[in-house]
Amino acid sequence: MSSCWSGKGRFSNLNCLIHPRSVALVGASSNKLKIGGIMWSYLQSFPGRKHPVNIKQETIDGVKAYGRVSDIPEEVDLVVIAVPARNVPSVIDDCIKKGVKAVIVVSAGFGETGEEGRKLEDEIKSKLANTDMVLLGPNTLGVYVPGESLDTMFVLREKSRRPPDGPIAYVSQSGASASGFMDMAEYHQYGISAFVGLGNKLDVNENDMLEFFSNDDKTKVICMHIESFADGKRLLKLCRETTPRKPVVILKAGRTEAGARAAMLHTGSMAKPSQAMDGAFKQAGVVRANDLLELFDYSRILAYQKPMFGPNVVVVTSGGGYGVIATDYIEDRNVGGGLKMAELSLNSKKGLREKLPSFASVDNPIDLTGNVTDEMFDHVLKIVNKDENTDGILAFLLLQTPYTTDRLIEIAWWWFKNGEKPMVPCIIGGLYSEKVIRMLESRGMPVYPDIRRAVLSLRVLYERGRYLLKIRGKGEAR
Amino acid sequence: MSSCWSGKGRFSNLNCLIHPRSVALVGASSNKLKIGGIMWSYLQSFPGRKHPVNIKQETIDGVKAYGRVSDIPEEVDLVVIAVPARNVPSVIDDCIKKGVKAVIVVSAGFGETGEEGRKLEDEIKSKLANTDMVLLGPNTLGVYVPGESLDTMFVLREKSRRPPDGPIAYVSQSGASASGFMDMAEYHQYGISAFVGLGNKLDVNENDMLEFFSNDDKTKVICMHIESFADGKRLLKLCRETTPRKPVVILKAGRTEAGARAAMLHTGSMAKPSQAMDGAFKQAGVVRANDLLELFDYSRILAYQKPMFGPNVVVVTSGGGYGVIATDYIEDRNVGGGLKMAELSLNSKKGLREKLPSFASVDNPIDLTGNVTDEMFDHVLKIVNKDENTDGILAFLLLQTPYTTDRLIEIAWWWFKNGEKPMVPCIIGGLYSEKVIRMLESRGMPVYPDIRRAVLSLRVLYERGRYLLKIRGKGEAR
């Protein structure tokens, strides 16, 4: 990406927002109880050059501080601004003068608070009109880029942990929920290529970031939580261009009239109920999420599992009761969305019979019963991966049965990674199950503690496969 | 309940199934690797008299073993049978001869395995025809009654933990999923009055247990996971009799055609798709669950929170993004089921304004922003609890904000317990959030890590309130 730094124009400057070589923090402080103090300390993990800017202090934590950005005696790619709102316009002037590529305005007190704040925004906007400098925010957490050890977020790491490096770009218009989302992501070892908080979207918006991550090789899936569209038509166009190469998952909050009103109160942006756009999004190959957990589940399964090129699901279980509930959800159009229970080939059934006890069911759902052993489970996964009528697998890993061992977990992991067919694992239980789920998640295997979430994730893999077949001109998936 | 023991007939004998004074285990073993060994060791926690029955051994773990139940020189309320299926009929004969009140047949190998097993079931059934002795199973985990320290389950406690004592009766036709459910229940400190595994329902069925728990003072909510109806009409009648006094939550798996087929394969019982019965169940005041997590969530919220006597929800949040998503779900009929966003009274808005910063929103959703303090949160809950237009509260507890402390958790707990209006709390996050959720759950406060689950739980409280108003002749809730 280094070529981007030397380039000119918006795209190159967006690259400096995510991959800066040097960073300055305006409002840096030695006081760790202040936002500028927290941010300065978190900036220390960034390996590039970093400069504190503070009009009153000579040094910050022993490092020479500059009174203004333009006093810094070298190029500055990214400036993070955390001073009171009324002081921001003059800092922007100084950044433009200095030739800064990107700024992040963390400060609140702009359009979200009323008329006076909106005037400040207009003032900044007019300053940006004659420059390529990009501005993220105001009223934003900024960015977190684990691969660069770049963290501009002022939320305390003890309270809001940071997720690991990974393949998912996460863009959000809502700061608080992004902080909760990333804390959850860390717990489940959901890896991100970057987080970008859009804040009030005065300049940089979801379309900029979608275009950027669309062209970012590290990013395999883009997920976005937005409350208003900067330009809905352009968003759809960008989605159409991106989705053939990488999945895009969008949570557009404010679907309903009341939700759109709440979004307007929240962000100050115009927001319209977006239910009407469902069809257009679907056509553009976008996966829709209704809440944060769906955003999380769908982006994760798309990042770590192959698409499903047909609707036929085999359910492998050792608890018959789980199999029945899963069957209901798969065949319920509101949840399964067109998924079907696969009809196993006679050959597969014969193969299953060979190593399963007589009372196990070799019909779908395949029920290995409480007598399941590690070997039986492995045998079944081998056969269904070869079965010509099967497109995807829902596998219940029951950790409570007496004759299975920890090897069951390794078997599931092996087939998840190496199987021909996409597999979604479901584990229901308590303390031990939670530990196993965490362990598998740390390897990048999504595990669902809930049957509905597992079926919805299979549905998303199927939607992805169907879309790919369609745009490749291979017609509808069977 | 002691009067029941001296009584005669089915109800009294069911009482001996759950509250026996003495228990015998046929097939008890000293070998802890055998099912009869595991069960005998778990039976040791039962404080009443217990007798091992083993045709080959003189003693089991140093306790005198009897060759037959009829050899035991005192009354036996409950006999648990864990010998091969073919030996069960003669044990049943012996139990009838002895005047045993209740038996549990843990052994598998009956109707669920084919023709031969069905013949064995017919043989046992004819033996039961001329007696009041009740039989649970065969092919069941039996019962677990924490209040009596009675545990007949052979699933290992290390793999499948047991939930604590509490107000919810849990009846299940599926053994494996019951084992997962209880493991999950232990993790979340969901307390049960009793678990009853129905198994093949040769004799005792869901209707018997519903009637029993309907009359059990300790049980505040009854939840049942069934795959086939022993007698659908009678079930509806019992539900109509029970629901005015205590909530009944039913997961009927096999809703769809394919699901019903899977249920038949699983249990061997006739199962019909049950979607058609939705209306009748609703009329009878039954809360329907689609999966185990819904069964868990709905029974728990009904056990620990008051009904909601109108549709109007106030959302209290410090993250605007959460508020918008919650609003969408509340107003989305498919999720909210008729819930509405409350319009706060002018008086309430004035009261809120007094202690909230100018940029906080006093419209619903009430957004306290990242500047929220413990006191603000407390103030808001005080006001919405008094608000005349509010029927229920969805409260987001954001643990990532900088100015809140652990006291926030205590404030939420206080209002959950003492508020006039039902409140459902939602916490989204990672490691610290999980710890806080566990802590609150151990006090009996359900906490949701997912907005959809929280809204669905409010919906269930509202359905309950609406039903109570209807049957009390107060007409529809507003």
Side-chain angles (χ1 to χ4, degrees):
Chain A
M1 281 265 178
S2 63
S3 64
C4 294
W5 292 316
S6 51
K8 287 222 176 293
R10 201 162 173 82
F11 191 85
S12 165
N13 288 345
L14 285 175
N15 192 49
C16 288
L17 181 67
I18 308 297
H19 306 288
R21 290 158 303 179
S22 57
V23 181
L25 173 62
V26 182
S29 165
S30 310
N31 184 344
K32 299 291 169 282
L33 296 176
K34 284 186 169 180
I35 280 180
I38 296 167
M39 290 175 72
W40 179 246
S41 76
Y42 291 170
L43 213 50
Q44 298 316 305
S45 51
F46 178 66
R49 291 182 305 283
K50 50 240 166 205
H51 308 284
V53 177
N54 187 310
I55 205 151
K56 292 178 196 151
Q57 306 288 322
E58 295 276 309
T59 60
I60 302 290
D61 293 346
V63 178
K64 178 178 167 49
Y66 298 93
R68 291 180 307 187
V69 172
S70 55
D71 294 341
I72 300 172
E74 62 165 17
E75 251 187 88
V76 179
D77 282 344
L78 173 65
V79 173
V80 185
I81 304 175
V83 296
R86 65 180 179 282
N87 301 337
V88 171
S90 66
V91 178
I92 299 289
D93 277 334
D94 193 47
C95 289
I96 293 173
K97 179 178 156 196
K98 172 73 183 167
V100 164
K101 308 283 179 62
V103 299
I104 297 173
V105 183
V106 171
S107 327
F110 288 88
E112 80 282 7
T113 58
E115 197 45 49
E116 209 167 316
R118 266 189 293 278
K119 275 187 193 155
L120 275 176
E121 286 191 356
D122 288 342
E123 193 183 340
I124 295 172
K125 215 163 186 172
S126 66
K127 291 178 194 301
L128 293 177
N130 303 315
T131 160
D132 275 339
M133 186 178 83
V134 295
L135 182 145
L136 183 68
N139 188 25
T140 175
L141 289 175
V143 300
Y144 166 61
V145 190
E148 303 281 6
S149 300
L150 175 65
D151 180 358
T152 77
M153 300 199 293
F154 60 80
V155 284
L156 293 173
R157 286 181 181 168
E158 309 88 80
K159 288 191 166 192
S160 181
R161 295 155 75 110
R162 314 295 203 247
D165 195 20
I168 305 166
Y170 170 49
V171 177
S172 174
Q173 193 172 346
S174 166
S177 70
S179 153
F181 186 95
M182 283 192 281
D183 196 21
M184 175 169 80
E186 192 276 338
Y187 187 61
H188 295 281
Q189 291 294 293
Y190 166 109
I192 66 171
S193 57
F195 157 70
V196 177
L198 296 174
N200 292 6
K201 303 203 293 193
L202 187 60
D203 177 42
V204 172
N205 60 37
E206 66 274 18
N207 293 337
D208 295 308
M209 296 323 304
L210 177 55
E211 189 176 16
F212 180 82
F213 289 119
S214 180
N215 293 295
D216 173 37
D217 288 342
K218 185 170 181 176
T219 299
K220 304 298 175 204
V221 176
I222 301 165
C223 81
M224 308 210 292
H225 172 190
I226 48 183
E227 297 193 345
S228 62
F229 296 122
D231 178 345
K233 270 195 185 161
R234 182 159 162 70
L235 176 63
L236 283 170
K237 181 172 176 288
L238 287 166
C239 286
R240 275 192 302 271
E241 286 166 15
T242 305
T243 53
R245 287 177 292 112
K246 55 182 90 175
V248 176
V249 187
I250 296 183
L251 162 58
K252 165 63 179 69
R255 291 177 288 133
T256 60
E257 285 282 350
R261 270 198 308 278
M264 266 174 67
L265 283 172
H266 176 216
T267 61
S269 334
M270 275 301 293
K272 288 180 204 156
S274 51
Q275 278 162 332
M277 290 188 65
D278 283 359
F281 271 118
K282 201 180 166 187
Q283 274 231 314
V286 172
V287 174
R288 294 298 295 277
N290 289 308
D291 61 31
L292 293 162
L293 202 58
E294 288 187 12
L295 193 66
F296 179 87
D297 281 348
Y298 301 166
S299 53
R300 190 167 59 152
I301 197 75
L302 287 164
Y304 291 105
Q305 198 48 288
K306 351 176 200 315
M308 191 168 146
F309 290 107
N312 302 297
V313 182
V314 159
V315 177
V316 181
T317 182
S318 40
Y322 295 126
V324 179
I325 296 169
T327 302
D328 276 339
Y329 271 143
I330 286 166
E331 296 264 336
D332 174 350
R333 221 181 152 85
N334 291 323
V335 179
L339 294 177
K340 287 178 201 161
M341 289 295 281
E343 175 67 50
L344 289 165
S345 75
L346 288 176
N347 210 22
S348 298
K349 286 189 188 181
K350 209 179 125 212
L352 288 172
R353 225 352 123 221
E354 275 166 19
K355 293 207 184 172
L356 300 188
S358 64
F359 48 85
S361 167
V362 299
D363 280 308
N364 185 15
I366 300 173
D367 180 3
L368 302 174
T369 80
N371 292 301
V372 60
T373 61
D374 301 340
E375 288 66 34
M376 278 188 225
F377 192 74
D378 187 46
H379 179 69
V380 170
L381 287 179
K382 191 161 109 193
I383 286 183
V384 297
N385 261 290
K386 289 274 175 218
D387 181 71
E388 63 208 20
N389 299 335
T390 296
D391 301 303
I393 302 157
L394 172 55
F396 285 93
L397 280 164
L398 265 70
L399 307 174
Q400 296 94 6
T401 51
Y403 309 119
T404 50
T405 71
D406 283 358
R407 215 167 71 75
L408 184 75
I409 301 159
E410 297 304 321
I411 291 168
W413 166 243
W414 195 91
W415 284 106
F416 177 83
K417 246 190 1 185
N418 303 308
E420 286 169 50
K421 311 276 168 74
M423 177 175 116
V424 169
C426 194
I427 295 182
I428 291 171
L431 192 65
Y432 179 59
S433 303
E434 288 295 323
K435 278 186 197 151
V436 170
I437 291 176
R438 289 299 89 72
M439 188 267 277
L440 288 170
E441 284 181 330
S442 72
R443 298 184 185 175
M445 175 167 165
V447 183
Y448 298 85
D450 175 12
I451 303 172
R452 184 177 169 276
R453 283 171 63 192
V455 173
L456 284 171
S457 295
L458 278 165
R459 170 191 179 152
V460 161
L461 290 178
Y462 173 48
E463 280 177 5
R464 177 79 189 148
R466 199 162 47 176
Y467 176 70
L468 290 178
L469 290 180
K470 193 177 124 200
I471 57 172
R472 288 171 192 168
K474 295 191 183 163
E476 279 288 308
R478 63 187 156 110
Chain B
M1 281 264 174
S2 63
S3 63
C4 294
W5 291 317
S6 51
K8 289 226 175 287
R10 201 162 173 82
F11 191 84
S12 165
N13 287 346
L14 285 174
N15 192 51
C16 288
L17 180 68
I18 308 297
H19 306 288
R21 290 158 303 179
S22 57
V23 181
L25 173 62
V26 182
S29 165
S30 309
N31 184 345
K32 297 292 169 284
L33 297 175
K34 285 189 169 176
I35 281 181
I38 297 167
M39 290 175 72
W40 178 246
S41 76
Y42 291 171
L43 213 50
Q44 299 314 305
S45 51
F46 177 64
R49 290 182 306 283
K50 50 239 167 204
H51 308 284
V53 177
N54 186 310
I55 205 151
K56 292 178 198 151
Q57 307 287 323
E58 295 275 308
T59 60
I60 301 289
D61 293 346
V63 177
K64 177 177 169 43
Y66 298 92
R68 291 179 306 185
V69 172
S70 56
D71 293 341
I72 300 171
E74 59 164 20
E75 252 188 84
V76 180
D77 282 345
L78 173 64
V79 173
V80 185
I81 304 175
V83 295
R86 64 182 179 283
N87 301 337
V88 171
S90 66
V91 179
I92 300 289
D93 277 334
D94 193 48
C95 288
I96 294 173
K97 180 179 153 195
K98 173 72 183 167
V100 165
K101 307 285 179 61
V103 299
I104 298 174
V105 182
V106 170
S107 328
F110 288 89
E112 81 281 7
T113 58
E115 197 46 47
E116 208 167 318
R118 266 190 293 275
K119 275 188 196 156
L120 275 177
E121 286 191 355
D122 288 342
E123 191 183 342
I124 295 172
K125 215 163 186 173
S126 67
K127 291 180 193 299
L128 293 177
N130 304 312
T131 159
D132 275 339
M133 186 177 83
V134 295
L135 181 146
L136 184 68
N139 187 25
T140 176
L141 289 174
V143 300
Y144 166 61
V145 189
E148 303 281 4
S149 300
L150 174 65
D151 180 356
T152 77
M153 301 200 293
F154 60 81
V155 285
L156 292 174
R157 285 181 182 167
E158 308 89 81
K159 288 193 166 191
S160 182
R161 294 156 73 111
R162 313 297 202 248
D165 194 21
I168 304 167
Y170 170 48
V171 177
S172 174
Q173 195 173 345
S174 165
S177 70
S179 154
F181 186 95
M182 283 192 281
D183 198 21
M184 174 169 82
E186 193 278 338
Y187 188 61
H188 294 281
Q189 291 293 293
Y190 166 110
I192 67 171
S193 57
F195 157 70
V196 177
L198 295 174
N200 292 7
K201 303 203 294 192
L202 188 60
D203 177 41
V204 172
N205 60 37
E206 66 275 18
N207 293 338
D208 295 310
M209 296 322 304
L210 177 55
E211 189 176 17
F212 180 81
F213 290 119
S214 179
N215 292 296
D216 173 37
D217 288 342
K218 185 170 182 178
T219 299
K220 304 297 176 203
V221 176
I222 301 165
C223 81
M224 308 211 291
H225 172 192
I226 48 184
E227 297 193 344
S228 63
F229 296 123
D231 178 345
K233 270 197 185 160
R234 181 158 163 71
L235 176 62
L236 283 170
K237 181 170 176 287
L238 287 166
C239 286
R240 275 193 301 272
E241 286 166 14
T242 306
T243 53
R245 286 176 292 113
K246 57 182 87 174
V248 176
V249 187
I250 295 182
L251 161 58
K252 166 62 181 68
R255 291 177 288 132
T256 60
E257 285 283 349
R261 269 197 308 279
M264 265 173 67
L265 282 173
H266 176 217
T267 59
S269 334
M270 275 301 293
K272 288 182 204 155
S274 52
Q275 279 162 331
M277 289 188 65
D278 283 359
F281 271 118
K282 199 177 169 192
Q283 274 230 316
V286 172
V287 174
R288 295 296 296 275
N290 289 308
D291 61 29
L292 292 162
L293 202 57
E294 288 187 11
L295 192 67
F296 179 86
D297 280 349
Y298 300 166
S299 52
R300 190 167 58 154
I301 197 73
L302 287 165
Y304 291 104
Q305 199 47 289
K306 346 176 203 318
M308 193 169 145
F309 290 107
N312 303 296
V313 182
V314 160
V315 178
V316 181
T317 182
S318 40
Y322 295 126
V324 179
I325 296 169
T327 302
D328 276 340
Y329 271 144
I330 286 165
E331 295 265 337
D332 174 351
R333 218 177 155 86
N334 291 324
V335 179
L339 293 177
K340 289 178 199 160
M341 289 295 281
E343 176 65 53
L344 288 166
S345 75
L346 289 175
N347 210 23
S348 299
K349 287 188 187 180
K350 210 180 125 211
L352 289 171
R353 224 355 120 221
E354 275 165 19
K355 294 207 183 170
L356 300 188
S358 63
F359 48 85
S361 167
V362 299
D363 281 309
N364 185 17
I366 301 172
D367 180 4
L368 302 174
T369 81
N371 291 302
V372 59
T373 61
D374 301 339
E375 288 66 34
M376 277 187 222
F377 192 75
D378 188 45
H379 179 68
V380 171
L381 287 180
K382 191 162 109 191
I383 285 183
V384 297
N385 262 290
K386 289 274 176 215
D387 181 71
E388 63 210 21
N389 299 335
T390 297
D391 302 303
I393 303 157
L394 172 56
F396 285 93
L397 279 165
L398 266 70
L399 307 174
Q400 296 94 6
T401 51
Y403 309 119
T404 50
T405 70
D406 283 356
R407 213 168 72 75
L408 185 73
I409 300 159
E410 296 304 321
I411 290 168
W413 165 243
W414 194 91
W415 284 106
F416 177 83
K417 245 188 1 181
N418 303 308
E420 285 168 53
K421 313 276 168 72
M423 177 176 117
V424 170
C426 194
I427 295 182
I428 290 171
L431 192 65
Y432 179 59
S433 303
E434 288 294 324
K435 277 188 197 153
V436 170
I437 291 176
R438 288 300 90 72
M439 188 267 279
L440 287 170
E441 285 181 328
S442 72
R443 297 183 185 176
M445 175 168 166
V447 183
Y448 299 85
D450 174 13
I451 303 172
R452 185 176 169 277
R453 283 170 65 191
V455 173
L456 284 172
S457 295
L458 278 165
R459 171 191 179 152
V460 161
L461 290 178
Y462 173 48
E463 280 177 4
R464 177 78 190 149
R466 199 161 46 176
Y467 176 71
L468 289 178
L469 290 180
K470 192 176 123 202
I471 57 171
R472 287 172 192 166
K474 293 188 183 165
E476 278 290 307
R478 62 185 157 109

